[in-house]
Amino acid sequence: MDSLFTPYLVGGIFSALVVACSFSFLRRPSLGHIPVVGYSSLLASYWFGKGLEVDHDRFVQEGYDKYKSGVFKVANLTHWIVCLRRNHVEFVARAPEDLLSAGQAAENLLKIDYTFGLKISDDYHVSLVQSTLTRNLSVLYGGLRDEIVAACNEYFNAKHDEWKSISVVRVTLQIASRASNRIFVGLPLCRDPDWLDLNINIPHAIVEETRILRFFPSFMLPIAAKFFTNLSGRTSRGVALLGPVIKERLQHMEAEGTNWSDKPNDFLQWCLDTKQDTSLTSLTRRMILINFGGIHTTSGVFSQALLNLAANPRHAQTLRDEVEIVVSKHGWTREALSKMRKVDSFLKETLRFGGISLLGPLRQAMSDISLSDGAFIPRGTLLAFPAYAIHHDGAMYENPDVFEPFRFVDMQHGESEGSGHQMVTLSPGLLTFGLGKHACPGRFFAATVLKTMLAHVVLSYDVRRGSDESVPSTLRVGDAVVTNPLAKVMIRERVN
Ligand code: HEM
């Protein structure tokens, strides 16, 4: 029975894929008038997918150098991405959602409905990140720092009398996940290895799943998602871990109303207070989505910062001097962080020098658009800035290919907190946190976590390069800039 059934099943899936691909390719907006760099057709980019992953940075840089005053397009397996120029930044930052949509672009690439089980319009958590999380950062700071110190102790596990080699990606992911989850779900779940493991590994699964889902037209997605995603598996694993915490809190809310002694002050509770999620499933999925947005981004930047520190140990003392002076005056507080200009600049330079993506931020044209320089962008087109190339443009930065950790300090001179050249400030020259209304709402939290981690590391540890100096610090995987999983640093506890 099975052996009879199998060829039909395989044949069915294969036919579905062929139909899906045909529909997908026919649906694409017509972009023949826009010059191409790299693979000249989506199909070619698909067949040479490995080459695309490896060479994307070369293609984008080539387009950036060649089309100085116009747009160009690069293939991205299933979509063309039209790369804009720096002088389009203002337009994109101000464009309303019904002209250029960040949400639709994210949906197009991530298929959030099917990979996370949440509607793209159901995004109340974005305003919680933007307002409630940012507003609570000072109050929550003590717990956040405690978690960072405890996580560094556990995962670095360094001794003062011997250098220890650590795998940068693995360790920074654990530390950033713990720190973030202390604020997302609180103790003790933020230390639960299963919860951390689930959230650390989900992005990899989502990338694999969306690679396939993106070939299907929307009417086929509900069926395709059943075969090609593991949404139900990760949801049930998440509910098993988070469900008991949610249930306990709901019991408190029922018995004691909106306030009770020891009421948790964390992201999970803020979500519960809004009463917008009506099931364990949807709230769990939302917490998984928040982790997805927050963990790999923050740990990616932290891992690059650690490698930059290891490659330039002489800068550690400069940072240490600043942290010691500031902390002796202001203690470990958010106010102290705002005075750590060198720490801030070091991290901002890390965002510029490596960052998280070659392209970004992404938008989808919701109607036909004529750009100021006359380029016609048909409805449905995906647009992005060649962020990495802009960050390494000599017209924007002196010595753009040199890591100069304190290049932003002079620019910050005389500024008050929150203005000008600090890492959270959005600017046309640094697109790592995006642009305009949709710019990353979590950047104030991310900056708080990153500055605390770096300040703690320079005070408590010596860091130097590992034995693998020839290993590149970062790799390009498609559009993403990721820290090399093989990268290692040597670490030793400092004796004060
Ligand atoms: C270094 C760390 C981070 C980087 C580099 C980063 C980067 C970004 C970028 C580039 C965007 C898209 C912006 C745009 O389209 O203009 C974004 C959006 C977003 N980020 Fe972050 N992010 C980081 C950390 C976080 C954290 C910690 C959180 C949550 C606590 C978070 C939550 C979000 C959310 C919810 C959005 C969607 C905003 C919207 O749709 O309006 N991010 N982030």
Side-chain angles (χ1 to χ4, degrees):
M1 175 76 180
D2 272 358
S3 56
L4 272 179
F5 181 63
T6 308
Y8 288 112
L9 185 66
V10 172
I13 292 177
F14 182 73
S15 317
L17 272 168
V18 171
V19 174
C21 291
S22 322
F23 265 99
S24 295
F25 285 112
L26 287 173
R27 277 180 316 129
R28 301 281 164 242
S30 162
L31 295 170
H33 59 294
I34 296 184
V36 61
V37 290
Y39 295 109
S40 56
S41 76
L42 286 180
L43 219 49
S45 84
Y46 173 63
W47 292 119
F48 297 105
K50 266 283 164 239
L52 183 73
E53 298 216 328
V54 175
D55 291 332
H56 221 179
D57 56 339
R58 189 166 57 76
F59 297 155
V60 176
Q61 189 63 50
E62 187 186 313
Y64 187 75
D65 295 339
K66 192 163 166 192
Y67 301 104
K68 286 262 178 248
S69 55
V71 298
F72 60 94
K73 64 177 190 272
V74 282
N76 189 341
L77 291 188
T78 50
H79 295 76
W80 290 110
I81 296 193
V82 171
C83 291
L84 299 169
R85 308 296 310 172
R86 245 176 25 230
N87 58 351
H88 297 127
V89 163
E90 187 71 14
F91 166 70
V92 173
R94 288 171 186 272
E97 187 70 8
D98 58 4
L99 188 64
L100 287 181
S101 170
Q104 203 49 52
E107 174 58 25
N108 218 326
L109 295 179
L110 287 174
K111 308 291 177 207
I112 291 170
D113 220 348
Y114 303 98
T115 47
F116 289 95
L118 293 171
K119 296 266 172 253
I120 188 82
S121 54
D122 172 20
D123 64 352
Y124 76 88
H125 58 274
V126 175
S127 53
L128 285 182
V129 174
Q130 197 147 34
S131 51
T132 316
L133 175 60
T134 308
R135 213 177 37 242
N136 273 283
L137 284 176
S138 296
V139 181
L140 297 175
Y141 187 71
L144 176 66
R145 189 180 118 76
D146 282 353
E147 201 58 43
I148 287 171
V149 173
C152 287
N153 283 343
E154 184 173 333
Y155 298 113
F156 288 148
N157 191 19
K159 313 244 179 319
H160 72 271
D161 51 358
E162 68 182 82
W163 287 98
K164 184 184 169 193
S165 168
I166 57 160
S167 160
V168 176
V169 171
R170 197 175 52 76
V171 167
T172 54
L173 259 172
Q174 297 284 349
I175 297 173
S177 307
R178 260 189 52 179
S180 304
N181 273 286
R182 176 72 180 251
I183 306 302
F184 294 164
V185 296
L187 282 166
L189 195 61
C190 70
R191 295 184 182 176
D192 185 314
D194 276 352
W195 177 251
L196 298 180
D197 181 70
L198 173 72
N199 286 293
I200 285 173
N201 289 313
I202 278 178
H204 181 69
I206 303 266
V207 168
E208 293 301 321
E209 291 171 6
T210 52
R211 245 180 233 257
I212 301 174
L213 290 187
R214 279 162 53 189
F215 282 99
F216 288 88
S218 38
F219 76 89
M220 291 182 78
L221 282 173
I223 306 264
K226 288 202 188 323
F227 284 100
F228 298 113
T229 73
N230 184 25
L231 173 63
S232 59
R234 52 184 168 261
T235 306
S236 33
R237 198 173 153 205
V239 168
L241 294 159
L242 190 62
V245 181
I246 299 175
K247 281 185 193 154
E248 195 192 322
R249 293 192 189 189
L250 285 173
Q251 278 165 7
H252 271 292
M253 289 169 78
E254 210 168 289
E256 291 162 83
T258 50
N259 267 316
W260 65 92
S261 61
D262 298 336
K263 181 180 176 184
N265 188 18
D266 57 25
F267 205 91
L268 177 66
Q269 189 59 45
W270 305 330
C271 290
L272 280 166
D273 287 345
T274 69
K275 299 195 167 65
Q276 300 224 29
D277 280 302
T278 50
S279 67
L280 291 185
T281 305
S282 70
L283 185 46
T284 302
R285 288 175 172 171
R286 198 171 302 281
M287 294 314 298
I288 288 177
L289 182 60
I290 284 294
N291 269 278
F292 177 81
I295 288 184
H296 281 258
T297 43
T298 308
S299 77
V301 176
F302 181 37
S303 58
Q304 289 176 34
L306 215 52
L307 285 161
N308 291 334
L309 192 68
N312 306 277
R314 69 184 188 285
H315 298 312
Q317 192 55 47
T318 314
L319 293 170
R320 195 170 292 135
D321 291 345
E322 176 181 82
V323 175
E324 272 169 359
I325 292 171
V326 169
V327 169
S328 69
K329 197 158 166 211
H330 300 278
W332 281 103
T333 56
R334 268 202 92 218
E335 194 192 355
L337 289 190
S338 72
K339 314 277 179 208
M340 294 180 192
R341 304 255 164 134
K342 289 178 181 150
V343 172
D344 191 286
S345 175
F346 192 99
L347 288 163
K348 184 167 180 174
E349 177 70 346
T350 303
L351 293 176
R352 181 195 75 81
F353 194 69
I356 56 168
S357 182
L358 298 173
L359 299 176
L362 274 168
R363 298 290 183 265
Q364 181 162 331
M366 302 306 281
S367 54
D368 292 349
I369 298 171
S370 286
L371 296 174
S372 53
D373 47 17
F376 175 69
I377 306 293
R379 178 168 181 255
T381 306
L382 280 176
L383 302 160
F385 288 93
Y388 186 89
I390 292 175
H391 298 165
H392 288 260
D393 185 338
M396 300 294 294
Y397 296 98
E398 221 171 284
N399 300 326
D401 296 325
V402 179
F403 181 79
E404 284 184 3
F406 306 123
R407 70 165 76 228
F408 296 104
V409 175
D410 293 341
M411 298 183 185
Q412 289 178 18
H413 200 68
E415 285 171 356
S416 58
E417 185 189 359
S419 59
H421 297 283
Q422 303 205 3
M423 67 180 289
V424 289
T425 310
L426 305 175
S427 86
L430 192 75
L431 299 170
T432 320
F433 283 126
L435 273 177
K437 184 170 163 287
H438 286 282
C440 177
R443 65 189 188 279
F444 303 96
F445 175 60
T448 302
V449 174
L450 286 165
K451 288 173 84 169
T452 307
M453 292 194 295
L454 183 58
H456 176 63
V457 165
V458 293
L459 274 199
S460 310
Y461 303 96
D462 291 317
V463 183
R464 67 170 168 82
R465 285 188 108 150
S467 50
D468 56 348
E469 295 198 6
S470 60
V471 171
S473 301
T474 55
L475 303 173
R476 315 286 177 260
V477 181
D479 299 340
V481 176
V482 295
T483 307
N484 189 339
L486 298 178
K488 291 196 161 74
V489 295
M490 305 294 286
I491 195 157
R492 180 176 71 178
E493 202 177 30
R494 281 180 59 75
V495 191
N496 291 308

